[in-house]
């Protein structure tokens, strides 16, 4: 492999990525707009034409922003790599810090800061223009800035020591450094999953034990039926930031928590809440959460092996516009380059992960139909689709590529086939 050949492979894949993303976004926009003036028959009576049109406009607005995001992402990537941005950054930081650990940490941190700075106005636009316009935003600019500041401090406090540890392993553990780095990464992921709900989530939201005793009884009966143990059922003040509703599980093992957004509890009836919870329980009981975690471990292992091989090839650096140091370690530089360009190589696998995720959604729906009620889940889904302005008519190819959840019509069709609920309502 020569540097020039690698440059061309990278450019070709980047062009393919951007082209594919634009083609998919354009398809989605046209498909949704063409169906905006008639509510699909399946939802007639449940979703008004106004809500349907709002969902179409919201989908289009989000797609257009995604297209801008794609263009900015590609531009930043090119500026940093082939246009010499990263090389200039290395020259500048190397002049101040030499080539040791401080230099490598500084290079990585600077790139994260640059990428985040480009992302910030896009996030601002998303929250204060699109979400605002469609009535979903509940954030004040002050809260947005406070969230951003907290995230930066947290990322630095957690990310920099972790990065320093990985760089130390790369430096001192020989050719099999990636095994040690992989073990550290897996341990960190597990620790983070367990500690996130206890230490980090409360920095952003308030969690209160569910107070509604009638609903709580219903939930406890469901948990008993499904043989599920949890360390608590909580309500989260999601309404501080957005009126989108949600419910989720966090934690692992005995520390699992059930969390309902207050916005979800406001809108759904108790049997519907029970059905949504049963779906989430399904993900745990059917070991989806564990499988996803394991798959993440396998993927990170493969990526680290790829990195350990690539970082020893000169063409990997030169092909991406950077001169590797001959007299010093290039670990930090290799890490940064690798994580900058890897999405270009992995994007083509997106449909595979979406496929896996959609299959698990169907299985969780079946679980919910068995332990709660398929009718109640359908009612809950229709309300959630309507309230969240999720399109009922997504482009099938766009959906195959991106959607972790099956389109509403297919999901509901399947639920209807599952028939009447087995458990008492
Ligand atoms: Zn699900």
């Amino acid at each position: 492999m020569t540097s020039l050949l690698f440059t061309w492979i990278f450019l070709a894949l980047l062009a393919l990525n951007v082209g594919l993303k634009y083609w998919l976004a354009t398809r989605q926009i046209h498909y949704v707009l063409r169906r905006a003036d008639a509510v699909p028959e399946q939802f007639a009576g449940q979703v008004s034409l106004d809500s349907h049109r709002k969902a179409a406009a919201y989908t289009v607005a989000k797609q257009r922003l995604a297209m801008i995001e794609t263009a900015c992402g590609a531009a930043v990537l090119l500026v940093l790599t082939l246009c010499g941005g990263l090389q200039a950054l290395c020259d500048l930081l190397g002049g101040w810090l030499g080539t040791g650990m401080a230099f490598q940490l500084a290079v990585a941190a600077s790139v994260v800061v640059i990428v985040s700075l480009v992302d910030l106005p896009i996030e601002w636009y998303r929250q204060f223009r699109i979400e605002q316009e469609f009535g979903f935003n509940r954030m004040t600019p002050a809260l947005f800035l406070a969230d951003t500041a907290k995230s930066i401090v947290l990322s630095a406090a957690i990310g920099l020591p972790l990065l320093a540890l990985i760089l130390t392993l790369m430096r001192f553990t020989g050719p099999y450094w990636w095994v040690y780095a992989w073990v550290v990464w897996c341990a960190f992921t597990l620790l983070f999953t367990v500690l996130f709900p206890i230490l980090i989530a409360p920095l952003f939201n308030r969690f209160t034990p569910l107070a509604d005793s009638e609903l709580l009884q219903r939930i406890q009966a469901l948990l008993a039926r499904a043989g599920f143990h949890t360390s608590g059922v909580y309500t989260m003040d999601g309404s501080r930031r957005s009126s989108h509703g949600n419910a989720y599980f966090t934690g692992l093992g005995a520390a699992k928590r059930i969390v309902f957004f207050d916005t979800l509890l406001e809108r759904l009836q108790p049997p519907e809440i029970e059905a949504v919870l049963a779906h989430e329980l399904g993900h745990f009981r059917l070991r989806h959460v564990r499988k996803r975690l394991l798959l993440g471990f396998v993927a990170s292992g493969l990526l680290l092996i790829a990195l350990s091989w690539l970082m020893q090839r000169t063409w990997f650096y030169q092909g991406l516009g950077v001169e590797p140091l001959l007299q010093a370690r290039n670990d930090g530089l290799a890490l940064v380059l690798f994580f900058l360009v890897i999405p270009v190589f992995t994007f083509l696998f997106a449909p595979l992960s979406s496929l896996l995720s959609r299959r698990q959604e169907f299985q969780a729906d079946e679980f919910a139909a068995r332990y709660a009620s398929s009718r109640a889940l359908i009612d809950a889904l229709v309300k959630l689709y309507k309230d969240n302005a999720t399109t009922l008519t997504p482009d099938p190819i766009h959906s195959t590529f991106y959607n972790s959840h099956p389109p509403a019509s297919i999901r509901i069709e399947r639920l209807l086939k599952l028939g009447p609920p087995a458990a008492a309502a």
Side-chain angles (χ1 to χ4, degrees):
M1 178 84 81
T2 64
S3 307
L4 189 64
L5 180 60
F6 186 58
T7 301
W8 281 111
I9 292 175
F10 168 65
L11 278 176
L13 271 174
L14 181 61
L16 181 68
N17 262 262
V18 173
L20 194 56
K21 283 181 181 170
Y22 268 74
W23 180 68
L24 288 168
T26 312
R27 278 191 67 98
Q28 172 83 329
I29 288 173
H30 288 162
Y31 197 93
V32 167
L33 282 181
R34 238 180 284 130
R35 286 156 186 78
D37 289 325
V39 180
E41 206 179 317
Q42 201 179 358
F43 301 95
Q46 286 172 290
V47 176
S48 70
L49 184 58
D50 270 354
S51 303
H52 183 62
R53 281 187 179 141
K54 178 185 168 184
Y58 183 52
T59 306
V60 170
K62 284 196 299 183
Q63 283 301 321
R64 295 214 166 113
L65 185 64
M67 288 163 98
I68 296 173
E69 220 176 344
T70 299
C72 289
V76 169
L77 186 55
L78 284 176
V79 166
L80 281 175
T81 55
L82 299 182
C83 299
L86 196 52
Q87 182 65 58
L89 194 66
C90 285
D91 293 343
L92 183 72
L93 292 171
W96 293 339
L97 300 168
T99 52
M101 176 69 83
F103 163 73
Q104 302 194 44
L105 282 175
V107 171
S110 317
V111 170
V112 172
V113 168
I114 291 168
V115 172
S116 311
L117 278 179
V118 174
D119 205 37
L120 199 60
I122 297 175
E123 284 312 313
W124 181 279
Y125 188 89
R126 190 194 314 282
Q127 196 66 31
F128 296 109
R129 294 299 291 273
I130 297 180
E131 293 292 296
Q132 183 77 38
E133 191 187 327
F134 289 91
F136 294 125
N137 178 41
R138 301 255 181 98
M139 251 193 191
T140 57
L143 183 59
F144 181 91
L145 292 175
D147 278 359
T148 308
K150 271 188 222 171
S151 304
I152 293 169
V153 171
L154 266 177
S155 312
I158 298 171
L160 287 176
L162 184 67
L163 183 63
L165 177 57
I166 301 261
L167 287 170
T168 308
L169 291 173
M170 291 169 93
R171 170 88 180 79
F172 293 109
T173 56
Y176 291 105
W177 65 266
W178 60 269
V179 179
Y180 300 90
W182 185 64
V183 170
V184 165
W185 177 252
C186 293
F188 167 77
T189 309
L190 283 176
L191 193 68
F192 191 79
T193 314
V194 172
L195 293 183
F196 180 84
I198 304 162
L199 294 181
I200 297 176
L203 296 175
F204 292 89
N205 281 99
R206 193 180 306 140
F207 294 82
T208 36
L210 185 66
D212 183 342
S213 65
E214 207 187 305
L215 180 61
L216 196 59
Q217 274 177 10
R218 213 176 229 289
I219 289 172
Q220 272 157 354
L222 168 67
L223 294 177
R225 273 205 306 283
F228 194 84
H229 302 284
T230 161
S231 72
V233 182
Y234 293 84
T235 317
M236 189 192 100
D237 58 344
S239 57
R240 277 184 78 199
R241 295 187 175 79
S242 161
S243 61
H244 288 301
N246 209 345
Y248 67 92
F249 275 89
T250 57
L252 275 179
K256 284 191 294 285
R257 284 179 172 197
I258 297 167
V259 178
F260 289 110
F261 280 37
D262 51 358
T263 38
L264 185 95
L265 295 181
E266 275 164 28
R267 281 195 208 126
L268 300 187
Q269 296 299 313
E272 296 163 354
I273 295 171
E274 186 185 354
V276 169
L277 178 60
H279 170 99
E280 295 299 323
L281 274 177
H283 283 310
F284 256 97
R285 293 292 289 174
L286 301 166
R287 302 181 190 277
H288 294 166
V289 178
R290 205 178 297 178
K291 279 181 200 161
R292 266 176 231 175
L293 211 53
L294 284 176
L295 211 64
F297 290 164
V298 172
S300 55
L302 291 175
L303 287 177
L304 283 169
I305 292 173
L307 170 61
S308 77
W309 185 77
L310 281 170
M311 64 187 290
Q312 296 172 50
R313 323 281 137 181
T314 316
W315 52 257
F316 171 63
Y317 303 89
Q318 288 175 343
L320 294 170
V322 193
E323 269 316 310
L325 299 167
L326 295 174
Q327 311 294 337
R329 306 283 305 179
N330 288 297
D331 303 339
L333 182 60
L335 263 177
V336 167
L337 262 188
F338 185 74
F339 284 104
L340 270 179
V341 303
I342 198 68
V344 173
F345 291 82
T346 54
F347 177 64
L348 298 173
F349 294 103
L352 266 180
S353 114
S354 298
L355 182 73
L356 178 73
S357 169
R358 282 195 301 268
R359 193 184 304 165
Q360 294 182 337
E361 290 306 322
F362 284 134
Q363 291 168 352
D365 279 352
E366 278 166 30
F367 187 91
R370 198 165 348 124
Y371 285 95
S373 145
S374 55
R375 187 66 249 172
L377 185 57
I378 293 173
D379 291 343
L381 285 174
V382 173
K383 274 192 195 175
L384 290 175
Y385 276 107
K386 195 177 80 179
D387 290 351
N388 289 329
T390 309
T391 179
L392 299 169
T393 56
D395 170 49
I397 297 181
H398 184 275
S399 177
T400 304
F401 224 92
Y402 287 110
N403 286 4
S404 60
H405 287 64
S409 55
I410 298 175
R411 217 173 148 187
I412 288 171
E413 221 168 83
R414 282 231 189 173
L415 276 168
L416 283 171
K417 279 190 199 141
L418 291 173

